[in-house]
Amino acid sequence: MTTLLTARSVRALAAELDLRPTKQRGQNFVIDPNTVRMIVAEAQLPPGAPVAEVGPGLGSLTLGLLEAGHPVVAVEIDPLLAGRLPRTIAELHGGSEQAGAVFELVNADAMRVDALPLSPRALVANLPYNVAVPVLLHFLAAFPGIETVLVMVQAEVADRLAAQPGSRTYGVPSVKAQWYGTVARGSDIGRNVFWPAPNVGSGLVRIRRRAVPLEETAGVGRAEVFAVVDAAFAQRRKTLRAALAGWAGGAEAAGRVLEAAGIDPRARGEVIDIDGYCAIARAARSLGVGPGEPGARGRRASAAEVEVSGEAAR
């Protein structure tokens, strides 16, 4: 039997560790078991699917995933939290022997992790808001075996990730998330289920990975497409012909690429979907325009991705 953390037990653990949650690391801990169970249910995971969790903190969501029968590999950067979490799992999830069979801990920076035990098929996490988008994109790139994602992020970032072309919030995170699969906005999460309470709202985002990678069907690499996306939104008020001039080596070259791709050079980046950006990158490769494929599979997030992650709200 699994016991989930409550407001009282979260505060007791924090007191034991002399823990003062920091905004720098986005430390806000879920204190409501019903919210934890709702998040796990909304993930819609296959029975017994192994799950990766980033930023488990004191273990609120970890225990909820274990209660639902999912082995968990948790990535935690804070050594104080990482040191206590295995004991918490052993105490509240059926003893050390049972916990050891279904729980693994990796004490590391999630942006530097490129291998995990348990071969996770899903990512379910309450992501630190200050690095949410970079971490999400890194895990999708580094772990192709992850088929399902459900992450809790700042509400504004959730809206951006799930935005569709033409909307006010559509931008770099929206397009890059769509490279990997279908993105949908999930439930809103109230501030009062956290300790300490964040100063912004939270929301869930679900991603279902494509059965066939877009790289195979589009005939162009991820890094090539993402370079076009970064350039298009670096100056989002400009037409694509102007915005892509630096990337293409001049406005005239950008215009040729856009015409070859079947994209109106007068259009702006926020009206182009992922297929359109693939067409631009494909045309650029054909015409020998642009920087080409740098092959940066494990690349760090662009400045645009970091900017839209929001302030360290937790």
Side-chain angles (χ1 to χ4, degrees), residues 93-149:
H93 184 67
S96 58
E97 183 175 342
Q98 180 178 339
V102 294
F103 175 73
E104 296 274 0
L105 176 71
V106 177
N107 182 196
D109 181 348
M111 287 296 295
R112 299 183 181 276
V113 171
D114 57 11
L116 288 172
L118 299 179
S119 300
R121 293 176 56 194
L123 170 65
V124 181
N126 174 20
L127 292 178
Y129 290 1
N130 52 332
V131 293
V133 172
V135 167
L136 172 62
L137 294 178
H138 171 70
F139 263 67
L140 285 167
F143 301 104
I146 290 178
E147 304 164 352
T148 300
V149 171

Side-chain angles (χ1 to χ4, degrees), residues 24-290:
Q24 180 183 5
R25 286 188 170 169
Q27 291 175 332
N28 291 74
F29 307 113
V30 180
I31 57 175
D32 177 44
N34 290 330
T35 299
V36 168
R37 292 189 176 104
M38 181 272 286
I39 293 170
V40 174
E42 193 157 325
Q44 300 176 7
L45 302 175
V51 175
E53 183 188 6
V54 174
L58 292 169
S60 299
L61 182 56
T62 315
L63 288 163
L65 289 163
L66 292 169
E67 179 187 57
H70 299 287
V72 176
V73 53
V75 181
E76 175 58 62
I77 190 173
D78 189 318
L80 181 66
L81 294 172
R84 181 60 168 89
L85 186 55
R87 184 153 55 96
T88 300
I89 300 304
E91 291 169 352
L92 301 181
H93 184 67
S96 58
E97 183 175 342
Q98 180 178 339
V102 294
F103 175 73
E104 296 274 0
L105 176 71
V106 177
N107 182 196
D109 181 348
M111 287 296 295
R112 299 183 181 276
V113 171
D114 57 11
L116 288 172
L118 299 179
S119 300
R121 293 176 56 194
L123 170 65
V124 181
N126 174 20
L127 292 178
Y129 290 1
N130 52 332
V131 293
V133 172
V135 167
L136 172 62
L137 294 178
H138 171 70
F139 263 67
L140 285 167
F143 301 104
I146 290 178
E147 304 164 352
T148 300
V149 171
L150 186 79
V151 291
M152 178 158 54
V153 296
Q154 183 177 333
E156 178 185 355
V157 176
D159 293 339
R160 289 174 182 260
L161 283 165
Q164 296 301 307
S167 70
R168 182 180 59 83
T169 54
Y170 185 73
V172 171
S174 322
V175 185
K176 292 185 177 181
Q178 289 170 11
W179 169 267
Y180 296 102
T182 303
V183 188
R185 182 69 156 84
S187 300
D188 288 313
I189 306 295
R191 302 181 191 187
N192 62 344
V193 303
F194 297 96
W195 177 78
N199 55 16
V200 295
S202 306
L204 300 178
V205 175
R206 182 186 297 109
I207 302 175
R208 298 290 189 192
R209 192 185 286 268
R210 299 173 187 270
V212 180
L214 190 54
E215 191 164 10
E216 296 181 17
T217 59
V220 68
R222 171 175 57 86
E224 290 175 275
V225 176
F226 282 15
V228 179
V229 174
D230 287 337
F233 284 97
Q235 304 177 78
R236 65 183 297 154
R237 290 184 178 275
K238 293 188 175 183
T239 66
L240 281 172
R241 185 178 188 274
L244 296 180
W247 161 84
E252 183 178 344
R256 291 200 308 271
V257 170
L258 290 164
E259 289 172 5
I263 303 293
D264 184 350
R266 298 168 298 178
R268 288 177 168 78
E270 61 262 30
V271 301
I272 307 300
D273 63 11
I274 185 61
D275 293 330
Y277 282 106
C278 289
I280 296 170
R282 195 164 52 243
R285 180 192 285 184
S286 176
L287 295 173
V289 172

